[in-house]
Amino acid sequence: MKAALETALCICDGLAAAHEAGVIHRDLKPDNVLIGPLGRVAITDFGIAASVDGSAGYATASFIGTPDYMAPEQVDGSMAPDGRTDLYALGALLFELLAGRPPFSGPSALAIAAARLTRPAPSLAALAPSTPPRVVQAVDRCLARDPAQRFAFVQDLRLELQTALSALSEATLPPPSSLQLRQAPSFQAPVVKMAVLPFTSAGLVGQEYLASGLTEDLIDSLAASNSVRVIGLGTTAALPQTNTDPRAIGRELNVEVVVYGSLRATPDGRLLVTVRMVAVTDGIQLWSQRFGINSSEILQLNDTIARALLQAVPGGGVPVATELEDPIAVDLYLQAKSRFREFWYESSSQAEALYEQALQRAPNSPLLVAGHALVLARCAFFEAERLPAATEAADRAMSLAPDRGESLVAAGTVAIQARRITDAYRFAQAAIVRAPSLLEAHLLRGRILAETGPLLDAERSLRIACELDPRSVAPLRELAGVHALLGRWDLVDRALEGERSGMDAVSLAITTMRFALWNKQMGTFLSVRETLASLRDPLRALAPRFSDFLDALMVATPDADGVVTLLKSIELTGSSPRRAIFFLQLAAEAQSVMGNLEVALGLLDRANTLGLTDLAWLDFCPALASLRADARFEPRRELVLERVAEVLRLHAAVSGRIERAS
C-alpha cells in the first residue's frame, strides 16, 4: 500500500507539472510510468498529448489511448480532454496497483472501452478490502463517468493520497499487483560524493575557531557546485577519533574523495595551512598544497582551496568568492558563526553583536550581510521588534548577492517569521537549487513542508539536512516532530536519542514533555515536568519568558480567569507572532487532552488570528483528537488550508519538475 501510494504521488507531481505547462498526457498507463534505480518516478511518451485548450483536436476516426485506462469522454468523443481525463487514467492505474487488475475487462479492446460507457467502475472496497476508505473514495472519484464529479485538479487528488499515506502504519504490507513498471534509464550527471574532515589545529591557543571556521566555509563554498555532494563537518566530527586514515573514513562514509588538512601556528605568528584531497578507492592523492598566511587571509585562502578542489573533479565549476578581506572582520565573522550554532536568544544576541562589529568594517560584504540577516531572523522569533531590522538585512543580502545560497536562506527565514510562508517556500527551493549542500536550505524547506502537510517530503528534506550535519540539533528536532505526527514513536525515540548528544537539557525536556502529552503518557509528562522544575535556573537564563509561560500553562484552568491568565502570559512574551502561535499550540494541546474543548477552540481561534499555517499539526497531532471530532473544528481548519494552498500547489509543481529532470 505504501509503495503504491508513494508511486501515485510521484505521478501526481508529474501530471501537475504537465498540466501547469498546458499539456494533457491522454495515454497514461503502466508502460508510460518509469521507476529509476533510486526510486525516482517519471512519466514518458507524450506522443499523443494535447494542449489544455483542446487545439490539438479530439474528434477522430478512432479513439486515442489505451482501452484499459481511457476516460469515457475519450471513448465517445463527447468532449475535449482536459486534466480530468488524465485523472481518470491515474485512477484506473491506481486501481490496478491496489486490486491487481484493471477496473474493466472484456473480450476485446472495443468491449473494454465500451464497458465504461454503460456501467460505473467497480469499487476497490470489494476487490481490495484492506484499502483505506480515504483511498477508496479518491479512486472512486477519479473513475467517475462524469468529469464534473472527478477532482478538478491533480493537486486535490495528491492532497487526499498524501493524507492517506501519512496515516498508514509503518507495518502496512504491500498489496498484490499485476502492474509491472519498467525501469527508467539513468540520465543523471555524475556527482562526486565528498567528505571534508575537520581541520586539525596546533598552537592556536584561544583561536581554535579558526580551524572549524575554515572547514565550514570550505564546505559552504563547495556546496554551491552541482557536481559535488558534500558530507560535512557534523558527520565527520561524529566519527571515532581513533581512526585517522582518510581512506578508511571515506569508506565508512561511502564517499569517493576525502579532503583533510591542518592549521599550525608558526613562530612568527603566521599560520601554516596544509590541505590534501585523496581518492578513497585507490588512495591516489588528487591535490595537495601548503600555504603560509596571516589569520586575516583565511577566507581568501578558502576561495583558492575550493576552486582547486572543484577543478579536480568533473564539472566542478567555480565557487562563490567571499569578498571579505578585512582581517578583523574575518575574525569577528568566524566567532559569530560559532555562536550562531547555539539556538537560544543569548547566543543569538552575541552573534548579532559580532556581526554588527564586522559590518562596521565591511558593510557591503554579502557574506556578512546574509549572516547578519539570519541571526536577526532568529532574534525576531524571540522578540517581534527585531523583524524590521531582519527584513532590511535580508533585502540587502538579496540586492548584494541574489544568487548566493545564504542570501536566499536569509530571505526565506525572514519571510517565514513575517508569516509569508509562500515566499519562504520559494526562497528555500531557490536556495537548494543554488547550493544543494547548504544545510539551512534543506532545513527551511523541511520545516515549511512539515507544517503545510506533505510530511513524507518534509521527512526527505530533513533527512538530507541531518546527513549534511548530524551534529545539528534543529533538523533532528524537526524530524522527531514529523515522526510523531505520523505515529512513528520508535523513530521519534531514535531522533531524540540523536538529539541527546547535542541538545541542551532544557530543550530536550521541553520536547520530551510535549511528545508525552501527544502520546498521553501522563506519567512521563509529570516526570519531565519535575525535571523542568529542577532546571528552573538554566531555563530562566535561556528563555525567561518561556519559563513564565510554562508556569501559566501548568496551572491553567478552564474557567475564564484561568484562560485569561494563560493568554496574558503568552502576550507578555513579546514574541513574534510565529512564536506566540507556538505557545498557543502548546496550550491548545494541553487543553484538548484535558477535555476543555471550548478553551482549546478559543486558543485555536487566537492562533488563526495570528496566521497559523501548521495544517499537518491540525490534521495529525494526537493531542487534538478530541478537537478534530468536534463539528466546530472543520471551519477553523479550512482557514489554515486556505493560507497554505499556494505552497501545496507550488510544491506539487516543483516536485513534478524535479522528477522529470532527474
Side-chain angles (χ1 to χ4, degrees):
M1 178 65 66
K2 182 174 181 288
L5 291 180
E6 287 177 342
T7 300
L9 287 172
C10 292
I11 297 172
C12 285
D13 293 338
L15 288 179
H19 294 176
E20 187 180 53
V23 175
I24 304 161
H25 193 284
R26 296 205 298 178
D27 193 24
L28 186 66
K29 58 184 178 181
D31 284 348
N32 292 337
V33 177
L34 309 181
I35 299 182
L38 299 179
R40 289 187 293 271
V41 178
I43 302 173
T44 65
D45 196 359
F46 281 77
I48 65 169
S51 62
V52 170
D53 62 10
S55 59
Y58 63 93
T60 60
S62 61
F63 53 72
I64 294 176
T66 303
D68 281 342
Y69 310 97
M70 287 174 60
E73 62 269 21
Q74 286 179 283
V75 176
D76 61 13
S78 58
M79 62 171 282
D82 58 20
R84 296 170 297 180
T85 304
D86 285 343
L87 282 173
Y88 186 98
L90 178 52
L93 192 152
L94 186 54
F95 184 103
E96 186 174 352
L97 271 172
L98 298 173
R101 46 151 281 192
F104 293 98
S105 60
S108 66
L110 184 61
I112 294 172
R116 67 201 64 221
L117 297 177
T118 59
R119 65 176 188 267
S123 177
L124 273 174
L127 294 174
S130 62
T131 305
R134 194 159 197 157
V135 177
V136 171
Q137 294 168 11
V139 173
D140 287 348
R141 189 170 172 185
C142 286
L143 294 175
R145 281 186 289 177
D146 182 359
Q149 295 178 3
R150 300 174 205 155
F151 292 98
F153 301 100
V154 68
Q155 291 91 339
D156 298 331
L157 170 61
R158 190 193 195 284
L159 185 59
E160 286 297 302
L161 297 180
Q162 176 71 68
T163 303
L165 179 59
S166 299
L168 280 179
S169 166
E170 284 292 290
T172 300
L173 296 176
S177 174
S178 64
L179 213 56
Q180 298 298 317
L181 300 177
R182 293 185 286 122
Q183 294 293 308
S186 176
F187 299 106
Q188 188 173 5
V191 175
V192 176
K193 200 168 185 183
M194 175 187 296
V196 179
L197 307 185
F199 280 42
T200 60
S201 62
L204 299 179
V205 180
Q207 290 185 303
E208 292 81 3
Y209 58 85
L210 291 176
S212 61
L214 175 59
T215 309
E216 291 187 19
D217 274 282
L218 178 58
I219 292 169
D220 290 344
S221 293
L222 293 169
S225 171
N226 288 319
S227 65
V228 295
R229 176 74 176 273
V230 188
I231 305 301
L233 185 61
T235 303
T236 54
L239 294 172
Q241 299 300 310
T242 54
N243 189 356
T244 58
D245 179 3
R247 290 183 61 192
I249 294 174
R251 287 190 292 270
E252 184 172 348
L253 295 174
N254 191 29
V255 298
E256 297 163 275
V257 295
V258 171
V259 177
Y260 62 103
S262 63
L263 278 72
R264 182 167 61 84
T266 62
D268 60 356
R270 288 166 59 80
L271 294 175
L272 182 63
V273 181
T274 303
V275 187
R276 295 183 175 89
M277 180 168 68
V278 299
V280 173
T281 54
D282 52 22
I284 293 177
Q285 187 165 280
L286 303 175
W287 181 82
S288 175
Q289 197 160 341
R290 182 176 293 182
F291 307 87
I293 62 168
N294 295 318
S295 60
S296 61
E297 300 170 319
I298 197 165
L299 293 186
Q300 284 67 47
L301 175 61
N302 165 65
D303 292 341
T304 301
I305 296 171
R307 187 174 290 105
L309 293 174
L310 290 174
Q311 288 173 350
V313 299
V318 179
V320 178
T322 59
E323 299 178 359
L324 184 60
E325 299 179 0
D326 182 279
I328 298 178
V330 169
D331 189 71
L332 290 167
Y333 163 72
L334 295 175
Q335 291 186 59
K337 284 196 70 174
S338 177
R339 299 301 298 146
F340 182 69
R341 290 192 206 102
E342 302 175 32
F343 172 77
W344 293 102
Y345 181 74
E346 181 181 1
S347 59
S348 299
S349 297
Q350 292 171 355
E352 178 195 1
L354 290 165
Y355 270 118
E356 288 179 346
Q357 294 176 50
L359 283 166
Q360 290 176 3
R361 306 186 66 88
N364 295 319
S365 165
L367 193 69
L368 294 179
V369 174
H372 188 222
L374 271 174
V375 170
L376 286 172
R378 180 178 292 174
C379 290
F381 177 73
F382 293 98
E383 291 185 344
E385 61 266 23
R386 300 295 192 96
L387 187 57
T391 302
E392 182 182 353
D395 290 344
R396 280 204 70 217
M398 287 298 296
S399 65
L400 289 169
D403 291 331
R404 194 181 189 105
E406 292 88 347
S407 299
L408 292 161
V409 169
T413 305
V414 169
I416 202 171
Q417 291 299 334
R419 295 173 291 176
R420 293 184 288 109
I421 196 164
T422 302
D423 289 343
Y425 177 84
R426 293 180 190 273
F427 283 123
Q429 189 61 40
I432 290 172
V433 172
R434 181 64 186 87
S437 294
L438 187 60
L439 179 150
E440 288 82 3
H442 293 281
L443 175 59
L444 179 60
R445 182 177 184 264
R447 182 175 286 139
I448 293 167
L449 295 180
E451 289 189 12
T452 56
L455 292 178
L456 295 180
D457 291 348
E459 180 185 7
R460 292 187 189 99
S461 290
L462 294 170
R463 285 194 183 280
I464 292 173
C466 290
E467 178 185 333
L468 291 171
D469 187 358
R471 181 187 56 175
S472 179
V473 170
L476 282 168
R477 183 187 294 121
E478 295 287 344
L479 190 58
V482 169
H483 289 321
L485 288 174
L486 293 173
R488 302 168 171 174
W489 293 106
D490 56 331
L491 296 181
V492 171
D493 293 339
R494 192 180 307 170
L496 290 179
E497 187 62 37
E499 284 191 271
R500 288 185 179 94
S501 62
M503 193 177 187
D504 61 83
V506 171
S507 296
L508 182 60
I510 292 170
T511 303
T512 304
M513 186 174 74
R514 187 183 190 191
F515 288 160
L517 185 67
W518 284 18
N519 216 15
K520 297 184 179 179
Q521 296 175 336
M522 299 311 294
T524 302
F525 178 85
L526 294 173
S527 173
V528 178
R529 188 172 144 193
E530 292 179 5
T531 301
L532 273 176
S534 68
L535 295 172
R536 180 64 57 195
D537 290 340
L539 179 59
R540 287 195 176 280
L542 291 171
R545 293 166 180 171
F546 186 61
S547 172
D548 294 339
F549 162 74
L550 282 180
D551 287 341
L553 177 62
M554 292 302 102
V555 300
T557 56
D559 59 79
D561 291 341
V563 175
V564 168
T565 301
L566 179 61
L567 290 175
K568 282 185 176 179
S569 73
I570 295 173
E571 293 166 355
L572 289 173
T573 62
S575 302
S576 66
R578 187 169 174 81
R579 191 172 186 234
I581 288 171
F582 172 67
F583 287 166
L584 288 163
Q585 288 178 272
L586 292 178
E589 291 168 9
Q591 295 298 317
S592 180
V593 168
M594 291 187 289
N596 303 325
L597 299 189
E598 290 288 345
V599 178
L601 286 168
L603 293 166
L604 182 54
D605 286 339
R606 186 67 64 95
N608 256 331
T609 300
L610 294 176
L612 176 67
T613 55
D614 206 337
L615 182 66
W617 172 75
L618 286 175
D619 285 347
F620 301 114
C621 177
L624 302 183
S626 299
L627 204 59
R628 283 191 289 271
D630 192 296
R632 296 168 293 178
F633 174 81
E634 189 59 29
R636 291 164 169 86
R637 179 190 180 276
E638 286 297 319
L639 293 175
V640 180
L641 178 59
E642 289 175 11
R643 274 184 216 112
V644 304
E646 182 65 9
V647 173
L648 295 174
R649 187 193 70 79
L650 282 174
H651 180 66
V654 166
S655 298
R657 286 197 294 272
I658 289 173
E659 294 295 340
R660 288 190 299 161
S662 60

